[in-house]
Tab-separated table of all heavy atoms in Angstrom:
chain	number	residue	atom	x	y	z
A	8	ASP	N	131.762	98.029	59.201
A	8	ASP	CA	132.707	99.070	59.228
A	8	ASP	C	132.327	100.268	58.271
A	8	ASP	O	132.535	101.369	58.497
A	8	ASP	CB	134.099	98.608	58.884
A	8	ASP	CG	134.272	97.924	57.545
A	8	ASP	OD1	133.243	97.304	57.123
A	8	ASP	OD2	135.274	98.141	56.907
A	9	VAL	N	131.754	99.889	57.130
A	9	VAL	CA	131.300	100.843	56.198
A	9	VAL	C	130.054	101.562	56.750
A	9	VAL	O	129.969	102.815	56.650
A	9	VAL	CB	130.927	100.270	54.874
A	9	VAL	CG1	130.368	101.294	53.855
A	9	VAL	CG2	132.158	99.621	54.190
A	10	LEU	N	129.154	100.902	57.396
A	10	LEU	CA	128.023	101.425	58.008
A	10	LEU	C	128.347	102.437	59.095
A	10	LEU	O	127.799	103.500	59.303
A	10	LEU	CB	127.097	100.383	58.497
A	10	LEU	CG	125.680	100.862	59.020
A	10	LEU	CD1	124.988	101.535	57.988
A	10	LEU	CD2	124.920	99.603	59.678
A	11	GLU	N	129.436	102.088	59.840
A	11	GLU	CA	129.924	102.927	60.884
A	11	GLU	C	130.433	104.284	60.383
A	11	GLU	O	130.245	105.342	60.861
A	11	GLU	CB	131.063	102.215	61.720
A	11	GLU	CG	131.507	102.981	62.976
A	11	GLU	CD	132.438	102.191	63.812
A	11	GLU	OE1	132.403	100.943	63.738
A	11	GLU	OE2	133.231	102.823	64.549
A	12	LYS	N	131.106	104.125	59.222
A	12	LYS	CA	131.739	105.331	58.565
A	12	LYS	C	130.568	106.230	58.093
A	12	LYS	O	130.556	107.496	58.100
A	12	LYS	CB	132.598	104.972	57.419
A	12	LYS	CG	133.243	106.155	56.731
A	12	LYS	CD	134.068	105.646	55.490
A	12	LYS	CE	135.057	104.620	55.775
A	12	LYS	NZ	135.800	104.229	54.576
A	13	MET	N	129.498	105.525	57.503
A	13	MET	CA	128.306	106.263	57.077
A	13	MET	C	127.605	107.033	58.149
A	13	MET	O	127.147	108.136	57.989
A	13	MET	CB	127.352	105.247	56.448
A	13	MET	CG	127.774	104.752	54.961
A	13	MET	SD	126.811	103.354	54.449
A	13	MET	CE	125.178	103.969	54.664
A	14	GLU	N	127.530	106.301	59.338
A	14	GLU	CA	126.929	106.935	60.462
A	14	GLU	C	127.667	108.251	60.856
A	14	GLU	O	126.952	109.330	61.229
A	14	GLU	CB	126.909	106.011	61.710
A	14	GLU	CG	126.073	104.811	61.515
A	14	GLU	CD	124.596	104.992	61.794
A	14	GLU	OE1	124.327	106.029	62.412
A	14	GLU	OE2	123.787	104.236	61.363
A	15	GLU	N	128.982	108.254	60.806
A	15	GLU	CA	129.783	109.404	61.220
A	15	GLU	C	129.438	110.512	60.188
A	15	GLU	O	129.532	111.724	60.552
A	15	GLU	CB	131.294	109.113	61.115
A	15	GLU	CG	131.706	108.171	62.223
A	15	GLU	CD	133.115	107.655	62.054
A	15	GLU	OE1	133.788	108.195	61.083
A	15	GLU	OE2	133.649	106.914	62.963
A	16	ARG	N	129.059	110.241	58.924
A	16	ARG	CA	128.815	111.187	57.924
A	16	ARG	C	127.316	111.558	57.814
A	16	ARG	O	126.886	112.246	56.944
A	16	ARG	CB	129.318	110.737	56.600
A	16	ARG	CG	130.853	110.491	56.628
A	16	ARG	CD	131.234	109.714	55.295
A	16	ARG	NE	132.727	109.620	55.362
A	16	ARG	CZ	133.447	108.930	54.459
A	16	ARG	NH1	132.784	108.302	53.446
A	16	ARG	NH2	134.754	108.818	54.523
A	17	HIS	N	126.552	111.011	58.771
A	17	HIS	CA	125.191	111.187	58.902
A	17	HIS	C	124.401	110.708	57.544
A	17	HIS	O	123.509	111.385	56.998
A	17	HIS	CB	124.765	112.674	59.069
A	17	HIS	CG	125.215	113.229	60.367
A	17	HIS	ND1	125.299	114.576	60.703
A	17	HIS	CD2	125.736	112.562	61.400
A	17	HIS	CE1	125.743	114.711	61.925
A	17	HIS	NE2	126.042	113.447	62.394
A	18	ILE	N	124.819	109.532	57.159
A	18	ILE	CA	124.154	108.892	55.980
A	18	ILE	C	123.442	107.600	56.576
A	18	ILE	O	124.142	106.728	57.080
A	18	ILE	CB	125.181	108.451	54.960
A	18	ILE	CG1	125.941	109.633	54.409
A	18	ILE	CG2	124.521	107.809	53.761
A	18	ILE	CD1	127.126	109.402	53.510
A	19	LEU	N	122.145	107.545	56.379
A	19	LEU	CA	121.435	106.367	56.839
A	19	LEU	C	121.637	105.221	55.876
A	19	LEU	O	121.826	105.400	54.662
A	19	LEU	CB	119.937	106.678	57.012
A	19	LEU	CG	119.645	107.833	57.966
A	19	LEU	CD1	118.109	108.085	57.908
A	19	LEU	CD2	120.037	107.470	59.380
A	20	ARG	N	121.392	103.998	56.400
A	20	ARG	CA	121.479	102.889	55.528
A	20	ARG	C	120.437	102.932	54.368
A	20	ARG	O	120.782	102.690	53.263
A	20	ARG	CB	121.170	101.559	56.284
A	20	ARG	CG	121.376	100.254	55.528
A	20	ARG	CD	120.958	99.014	56.217
A	20	ARG	NE	121.356	97.813	55.513
A	20	ARG	CZ	120.676	97.386	54.520
A	20	ARG	NH1	119.513	97.964	54.109
A	20	ARG	NH2	121.035	96.285	53.874
A	21	GLU	N	119.315	103.466	54.696
A	21	GLU	CA	118.231	103.569	53.657
A	21	GLU	C	118.585	104.598	52.543
A	21	GLU	O	118.187	104.515	51.441
A	21	GLU	CB	116.912	104.013	54.270
A	21	GLU	CG	116.927	105.391	54.954
A	21	GLU	CD	115.632	105.621	55.712
A	21	GLU	OE1	115.331	104.860	56.700
A	21	GLU	OE2	114.969	106.607	55.412
A	22	ASP	N	119.479	105.611	52.986
A	22	ASP	CA	119.904	106.584	51.988
A	22	ASP	C	120.775	105.850	50.914
A	22	ASP	O	120.662	106.049	49.678
A	22	ASP	CB	120.687	107.615	52.605
A	22	ASP	CG	119.880	108.492	53.563
A	22	ASP	OD1	118.663	108.643	53.247
A	22	ASP	OD2	120.387	109.069	54.513
A	23	ALA	N	121.793	105.045	51.414
A	23	ALA	CA	122.698	104.326	50.535
A	23	ALA	C	121.927	103.300	49.617
A	23	ALA	O	122.160	103.167	48.471
A	23	ALA	CB	123.744	103.650	51.319
A	24	VAL	N	120.996	102.575	50.166
A	24	VAL	CA	120.124	101.618	49.437
A	24	VAL	C	119.422	102.308	48.331
A	24	VAL	O	119.321	101.817	47.268
A	24	VAL	CB	119.181	100.900	50.373
A	24	VAL	CG1	118.278	100.012	49.648
A	24	VAL	CG2	120.073	100.009	51.443
A	25	ARG	N	118.811	103.520	48.667
A	25	ARG	CA	118.096	104.223	47.681
A	25	ARG	C	118.964	104.607	46.474
A	25	ARG	O	118.517	104.593	45.342
A	25	ARG	CB	117.488	105.466	48.332
A	25	ARG	CG	116.400	106.110	47.415
A	25	ARG	CD	116.012	107.492	48.038
A	25	ARG	NE	115.499	107.289	49.398
A	25	ARG	CZ	115.185	108.300	50.185
A	25	ARG	NH1	115.205	109.502	49.791
A	25	ARG	NH2	114.719	108.021	51.398
A	26	VAL	N	120.184	105.033	46.789
A	26	VAL	CA	121.098	105.466	45.728
A	26	VAL	C	121.399	104.258	44.837
A	26	VAL	O	121.334	104.392	43.590
A	26	VAL	CB	122.370	106.030	46.241
A	26	VAL	CG1	123.367	106.331	45.136
A	26	VAL	CG2	122.088	107.331	47.099
A	27	VAL	N	121.819	103.210	45.409
A	27	VAL	CA	122.189	101.973	44.654
A	27	VAL	C	121.027	101.492	43.827
A	27	VAL	O	121.174	101.214	42.621
A	27	VAL	CB	122.631	100.857	45.640
A	27	VAL	CG1	122.830	99.575	44.864
A	27	VAL	CG2	123.988	101.278	46.310
A	28	ARG	N	119.783	101.411	44.369
A	28	ARG	CA	118.678	100.877	43.586
A	28	ARG	C	118.303	101.831	42.482
A	28	ARG	O	117.879	101.418	41.442
A	28	ARG	CB	117.520	100.615	44.563
A	28	ARG	CG	117.721	99.390	45.441
A	28	ARG	CD	116.658	99.163	46.356
A	28	ARG	NE	116.884	97.907	47.126
A	28	ARG	CZ	116.149	97.455	48.133
A	28	ARG	NH1	115.107	98.088	48.515
A	28	ARG	NH2	116.471	96.334	48.709
A	29	HIS	N	118.426	103.122	42.704
A	29	HIS	CA	118.150	104.110	41.644
A	29	HIS	C	119.207	103.946	40.504
A	29	HIS	O	118.841	103.907	39.305
A	29	HIS	CB	118.228	105.504	42.179
A	29	HIS	CG	118.017	106.610	41.206
A	29	HIS	ND1	119.189	107.252	40.542
A	29	HIS	CD2	116.927	107.160	40.588
A	29	HIS	CE1	118.763	108.036	39.644
A	29	HIS	NE2	117.420	108.068	39.702
A	30	ALA	N	120.454	103.803	40.927
A	30	ALA	CA	121.465	103.548	39.939
A	30	ALA	C	121.233	102.246	39.043
A	30	ALA	O	121.449	102.238	37.883
A	30	ALA	CB	122.814	103.560	40.570
A	31	GLU	N	120.890	101.159	39.795
A	31	GLU	CA	120.682	99.952	39.057
A	31	GLU	C	119.471	100.085	38.155
A	31	GLU	O	119.388	99.436	37.108
A	31	GLU	CB	120.473	98.819	40.047
A	31	GLU	CG	121.780	98.500	40.789
A	31	GLU	CD	122.792	97.963	39.772
A	31	GLU	OE1	122.596	96.871	39.206
A	31	GLU	OE2	123.884	98.491	39.650
A	32	ALA	N	118.468	100.847	38.576
A	32	ALA	CA	117.287	100.920	37.737
A	32	ALA	C	117.461	101.796	36.520
A	32	ALA	O	116.979	101.568	35.495
A	32	ALA	CB	116.132	101.537	38.606
A	33	SER	N	118.258	102.844	36.722
A	33	SER	CA	118.562	103.799	35.600
A	33	SER	C	119.721	103.533	34.803
A	33	SER	O	119.874	103.819	33.652
A	33	SER	CB	118.687	105.266	36.219
A	33	SER	OG	119.835	105.282	36.997
A	34	GLY	N	120.705	102.792	35.461
A	34	GLY	CA	121.964	102.496	34.792
A	34	GLY	C	122.941	103.627	34.720
A	34	GLY	O	123.961	103.599	34.109
A	35	ASP	N	122.627	104.737	35.377
A	35	ASP	CA	123.449	105.923	35.370
A	35	ASP	C	124.507	105.746	36.484
A	35	ASP	O	124.290	106.132	37.622
A	35	ASP	CB	122.691	107.202	35.584
A	35	ASP	CG	121.699	107.363	34.450
A	35	ASP	OD1	122.136	107.060	33.315
A	35	ASP	OD2	120.567	107.966	34.707
A	36	THR	N	125.721	105.453	36.081
A	36	THR	CA	126.786	105.235	37.032
A	36	THR	C	128.146	105.654	36.407
A	36	THR	O	128.173	105.873	35.177
A	36	THR	CB	126.998	103.710	37.495
A	36	THR	OG1	127.163	102.909	36.393
A	36	THR	CG2	125.702	103.268	38.214
A	37	PHE	N	129.146	105.786	37.271
A	37	PHE	CA	130.473	105.988	36.829
A	37	PHE	C	131.292	104.693	37.159
A	37	PHE	O	131.103	104.156	38.281
A	37	PHE	CB	131.149	107.218	37.489
A	37	PHE	CG	130.373	108.435	37.187
A	37	PHE	CD1	129.485	108.994	38.055
A	37	PHE	CD2	130.625	109.213	35.987
A	37	PHE	CE1	128.752	110.146	37.768
A	37	PHE	CE2	129.919	110.383	35.760
A	37	PHE	CZ	129.010	110.864	36.593
A	38	LEU	N	132.206	104.374	36.331
A	38	LEU	CA	133.007	103.162	36.521
A	38	LEU	C	134.444	103.535	36.912
A	38	LEU	O	135.071	104.307	36.212
A	38	LEU	CB	132.974	102.282	35.313
A	38	LEU	CG	133.980	101.053	35.346
A	38	LEU	CD1	133.451	100.054	36.303
A	38	LEU	CD2	134.002	100.373	33.962
A	39	ASN	N	134.907	102.909	38.035
A	39	ASN	CA	136.362	103.124	38.341
A	39	ASN	C	137.148	102.093	37.686
A	39	ASN	O	137.041	100.848	37.863
A	39	ASN	CB	136.481	102.963	39.947
A	39	ASN	CG	137.984	103.233	40.394
A	39	ASN	OD1	138.823	102.849	39.826
A	39	ASN	ND2	137.971	103.816	41.590
A	40	ARG	N	137.941	102.489	36.803
A	40	ARG	CA	138.732	101.643	35.890
A	40	ARG	C	139.743	100.780	36.670
A	40	ARG	O	140.156	99.686	36.212
A	40	ARG	CB	139.406	102.443	34.768
A	40	ARG	CG	138.483	103.150	33.822
A	40	ARG	CD	139.260	103.738	32.671
A	40	ARG	NE	140.196	104.840	33.190
A	40	ARG	CZ	139.894	106.046	33.298
A	40	ARG	NH1	138.647	106.462	33.004
A	40	ARG	NH2	140.817	106.929	33.739
């Protein structure tokens, strides 16, 4: 269901994976309390 929403927004799976892996490698994230 999340992937379907991403498709509607023209976000590829590889785009999301790249963001997550960059965040995990750099540690630069925001936390939702």
Side-chain angles (χ1 to χ4, degrees):
D8 60 325
V9 177
L10 187 59
E11 186 173 337
K12 186 187 300 183
M13 287 167 49
E14 295 277 344
E15 293 174 358
R16 298 170 179 173
H17 296 170
I18 302 173
L19 299 176
R20 185 185 188 281
E21 63 189 60
D22 296 327
V24 170
R25 189 187 308 175
V26 175
V27 171
R28 289 181 175 173
H29 175 268
E31 289 297 299
S33 65
D35 295 329
T36 59
F37 299 96
L38 173 66
N39 185 321
R40 296 186 297 270

